[in-house]
Amino acid sequence: MNAWDAEELHKSLFDNSPDGIMYCRMIFDARARPVDFTYLAVNKNFERLTGLKDVVGKNVTQLIPGIIASNPTLFEACGRVSSTGVSEDFEMHIESLERWFFVRAYSPNKNFFVAVFQNITEHKLIEKKAEDAKIAARNVFEDLQAEKQELAHVRAHVEAILASIGDGVITLDFSGRITRMNQAAQALLGLEGKDVIGKLLFDIFPIENEKGELVATIDRPMSVALSAGTSTTTSTTTTTTTTDEAWRRDLPRMKTIHGGFYYIRSDKTKFPVAITVTPVMLENTVVGAVEIFRDITKEQGIDKVKTEFVSLASHQLLGPITTIKWHAEMLLSGDAGPLNEQQRRFFEKIYESNQQMAGLVDALLNVARLELGTLTLKLEPTDTVSVISHVISEQKSEIERKNISLATHFADDLPTMLIDQKLLRMVVINILSNAIKYTPSKGTIDCAVWRVTKGECVDGRKMNVDSLVMKIADTGCGIPAHQHDKIFSKLFRADNARALNAVGTGLGLYVVKQIVDRFGGSVWFESQEQKGATFFVSIPLVMKNR
Ligand code: ADP
């Protein structure tokens, strides 16, 4: 190759290199510090890579003002290379160009340098993204670790809570499979957790009602809570204490299933149980439930003793109350001589209060009898209309006193029924006296009795047997909607009823419900506050003696 060819080759390499190439003279200040450089030659790609035009003969500080402050390493590195002759590689970021370069600098002559550089901005961006992703992943990992630790803490707490609770606790998934069982539940039900986890609660632990019948899956508190998404609790008529009732009353949206429930252990023994089931909600969806239950054998025993005491005390009170009644009646009828106006008023007050006391004692006695189960049904052929008419006539004076207009509609085809007359009377008295009590003067009461055949509906309810239906509708104060579900609870009185009529025991409808249940029938009502109440009672025409 001759000299010309070599020069041509170098020029062509210089011009066609994909890298940028610049040949520069370094400028030092008086203290030999590199402060600028002059471009002596640049190749074609220089402009493309840097975006700088017509640079030859110009100084870099002129082309990129502020470059000394923003890129001191460029000057330091190129200064060293120019003065020492030792090549250096480095990366730099030119802020004003918003580009990254990889630079290889060498010195062909002292105080001169050649820099060959590539634009590595893309590569740097990818590197930065990768670094950011790495940092993000590390952060997520650290968060996960922290959450894992937190979860472990929560789990340990939950385990400790479950272990220390005396009541049985079973947690379930949304399909009713057991996911966890505390020690108390295992002890009460006689099975170890490991044997039941993952199995359906309904299969493993059956529940019976008071009559010894298996409770259907859909009627179990667990199913009610899972399907309705509402906390559900059981309330047995004989075992629920007054405090329990008061406590439940204050719970919002707590569904109550009335009736006695018994858990059957794996060895077929059983125990009475109080159950509360709370659904586990996640973003408004039921994902499972927690069932808490306790053996209420002891409470039942205590309740029985209490009820026996109430029964005994009520019996003892009957004698003196009757004696007071007779004597007050005799005094009022003038048997002990004429009374002046004031004496008459006082005796009337004594008579009235004694009557109230008699009513209360009577209600307590009935409750005690029903709860102790000592009340056996005395079925006798009964003309139901005459029982109802008789009750109406007994209440006539009060109906007239309040100027209430009462209408009756008795169907013609009512059969004679085999029923316990005394208990039927109690049902009618309680519902009718309530209608009178809670209806203001000049209101109206409508009383109807008719028969329905199996499959027919009454007030939207399908009758599953041929039944006698009684309806008593009034135009009184009605029952507030939020207290509807408590109306048949023992000792419950709605707020508006308390305000309207101080006299009342809250026992009447409880007794009605107990009796109608014994008849195998149903009692329910419809009411809106200030718009009256309509009570319905359905009784099977053919009753089993239970
Ligand atoms: P009470 O002795 O208070 O009447 P009950 O057990 O007979 O007790 O009734 C329970 C509650 O049901 C009453 O206190 C009242 O709040 C409500 N109630 C019953 N019947 C009626 C009715 N016809 N109209 C309005 N509220 C009623």
Side-chain angles (χ1 to χ4, degrees):
M1 194 189 297
N2 60 35
W4 187 88
D5 283 344
E7 195 175 319
E8 273 302 303
L9 176 66
H10 283 128
K11 189 169 171 345
S12 132
L13 281 173
F14 182 73
D15 279 344
N16 293 306
S17 163
D19 298 340
I21 304 175
M22 60 196 220
Y23 174 47
C24 306
R25 189 182 64 241
M26 200 73 218
I27 301 170
F28 295 94
D29 68 3
R31 288 158 68 190
R33 284 183 306 204
V35 289
D36 208 346
F37 55 79
T38 312
Y39 292 96
L40 300 178
V42 294
N43 73 342
K44 279 185 188 158
N45 261 333
F46 176 91
E47 185 183 325
R48 186 177 60 80
L49 291 170
T50 63
L52 299 172
K53 283 183 191 164
D54 304 326
V55 298
V56 174
K58 292 181 185 153
N59 286 357
V60 69
T61 52
Q62 194 186 342
L63 294 163
I64 312 174
I67 188 161
I68 302 186
S70 63
N71 289 78
T73 47
L74 172 66
F75 291 87
E76 284 159 18
C78 292
R80 268 196 312 273
V81 170
S82 315
S83 51
T84 63
V86 181
S87 316
E88 285 191 30
D89 294 345
F90 56 91
E91 287 179 355
M92 65 170 189
H93 181 240
I94 308 273
E95 226 170 65
S96 58
L97 302 178
E98 291 180 349
R99 288 178 196 181
W100 276 90
F101 296 102
F102 172 74
V103 184
R104 171 155 290 172
Y106 68 93
S107 175
N109 294 307
K110 191 163 173 64
N111 292 345
F112 290 84
F113 72 90
V114 173
V116 181
F117 58 91
Q118 294 155 3
N119 182 352
I120 54 165
T121 311
E122 291 261 308
H123 171 78
K124 275 288 178 190
L125 281 177
I126 292 169
E127 217 175 71
K128 185 164 182 317
K129 271 189 193 156
E131 185 56 27
D132 287 352
K134 216 160 102 186
I135 293 170
R138 199 169 38 234
N139 288 345
V140 170
F141 180 72
E142 281 170 8
D143 288 355
L144 273 177
Q145 284 295 102
E147 247 167 62
K148 208 170 136 193
Q149 222 168 1
E150 171 120 13
L151 262 178
H153 269 99
V154 172
R155 185 167 296 156
H157 273 90
V158 170
E159 292 297 343
I161 292 169
L162 286 180
S164 52
I165 290 179
D167 289 351
V169 181
I170 300 179
T171 60
L172 296 115
D173 67 12
F174 68 95
S175 61
R177 282 180 201 283
I178 301 169
T179 53
R180 182 172 293 193
M181 229 173 134
N182 73 342
Q183 283 87 334
Q186 297 177 36
L188 282 167
L189 293 165
L191 267 182
E192 283 196 33
K194 65 178 170 44
D195 299 326
V196 298
I197 302 293
K199 299 198 174 140
L200 286 170
L201 176 75
F202 317 116
D203 289 346
I204 304 287
F205 300 117
I207 291 184
E208 274 183 6
N209 63 19
E210 275 162 329
K211 296 172 207 151
E213 299 159 345
L214 268 188
V215 175
T217 303
I218 57 159
D219 295 331
R220 288 178 59 142
M222 171 65 59
S223 310
V224 176
L226 279 173
S227 60
T230 317
S231 290
T232 306
T233 190
T234 58
S235 155
T236 58
T237 49
T238 50
T239 57
T240 310
T241 61
T242 330
T243 32
D244 262 356
E245 284 285 347
W247 173 76
R248 284 199 178 92
R249 234 172 265 162
D250 296 337
L251 285 178
R253 297 192 68 235
M254 174 73 91
K255 232 186 163 85
T256 306
I257 307 180
H258 295 276
F261 290 101
Y262 293 79
Y263 249 130
I264 317 285
R265 296 192 182 91
S266 51
D267 63 3
K268 303 287 173 238
T269 54
K270 59 181 179 179
F271 62 93
V273 65
I275 302 174
T276 298
V277 184
T278 305
V280 180
M281 308 291 290
L282 207 64
E283 287 167 2
N284 279 333
T285 310
V286 180
V287 293
V290 178
E291 170 168 319
I292 300 187
F293 63 95
R294 65 174 201 281
D295 180 348
I296 51 169
T297 310
K298 271 200 197 128
E299 281 107 311
Q300 275 193 341
I302 296 168
D303 266 0
K304 187 158 181 259
V305 173
K306 278 199 306 201
T307 311
E308 280 167 354
F309 171 76
V310 170
S311 167
L312 191 82
S314 308
H315 266 296
Q316 297 298 325
L317 283 170
L318 276 182
I321 285 173
T322 316
T323 312
I324 294 170
K325 182 180 173 207
W326 283 342
H327 287 91
E329 271 171 0
M330 284 192 309
L331 286 167
L332 281 168
S333 62
D335 285 3
L339 301 174
N340 65 30
E341 197 40 43
Q342 195 181 35
Q343 286 166 335
R344 171 167 296 282
R345 268 207 332 271
F346 287 171
F347 281 127
E348 275 171 357
K349 203 78 208 146
I350 289 171
Y351 183 80
E352 211 177 282
S353 300
N354 188 59
Q355 282 297 88
Q356 274 174 22
M357 197 148 51
L360 175 63
V361 167
D362 194 43
L364 285 173
L365 259 177
N366 289 328
V367 168
R369 284 194 200 115
L370 285 161
E371 290 188 348
L372 289 171
T374 52
L375 205 82
T376 41
L377 293 190
K378 212 171 115 212
L379 301 185
E380 50 191 329
T382 303
D383 172 5
T384 46
V385 167
S386 86
V387 172
I388 296 166
S389 306
H390 197 241
V391 173
I392 293 175
S393 70
E394 281 170 354
Q395 308 268 342
K396 205 165 181 135
S397 61
E398 187 59 8
I399 293 170
E400 281 170 4
R401 192 187 68 78
K402 289 186 82 174
N403 219 339
I404 288 173
S405 74
L406 185 137
T408 54
H409 314 272
F410 300 139
D412 300 328
D413 59 347
L414 296 176
T416 301
M417 281 175 75
L418 265 187
I419 197 167
D420 187 311
Q421 269 184 37
K422 254 170 83 183
L423 295 186
L424 177 67
R425 247 180 72 77
M426 238 185 259
V427 170
V428 182
I429 288 175
N430 277 307
I431 297 182
L432 184 67
S433 63
N434 277 346
I436 299 167
K437 190 158 62 180
Y438 298 115
T439 299
S441 341
K442 299 199 181 119
T444 59
I445 295 176
D446 223 51
C447 175
V449 186
W450 70 104
R451 61 183 288 180
V452 288
T453 43
K454 181 180 168 180
E456 269 187 282
C457 283
V458 176
D459 182 40
R461 288 182 182 225
K462 202 174 193 169
M463 298 290 112
N464 48 13
V465 285
D466 293 350
S467 308
L468 176 102
V469 177
M470 177 178 79
K471 174 177 133 180
I472 296 183
D474 63 57
T475 55
C477 66
I479 299 166
H482 71 281
Q483 295 184 314
H484 277 197
D485 57 337
K486 323 226 168 65
I487 282 302
F488 294 106
S489 306
K490 188 157 59 171
L491 299 172
F492 183 80
R493 304 196 68 211
D495 300 335
N496 61 341
R498 277 172 208 273
L500 192 79
N501 194 323
V503 184
T505 60
L507 291 172
L509 287 182
Y510 174 75
V511 166
V512 167
K513 174 93 174 71
Q514 300 306 307
I515 296 173
V516 175
D517 279 353
R518 288 285 298 274
F519 286 167
S522 303
V523 49
W524 71 97
F525 65 92
E526 269 181 2
S527 179
Q528 261 180 292
E529 201 170 354
Q530 299 303 341
K531 297 216 170 133
T534 304
F535 279 80
F536 296 88
V537 175
S538 74
I539 302 167
L541 285 181
V542 180
M543 212 176 297
K544 292 184 200 128
N545 196 351
R546 307 196 260 177

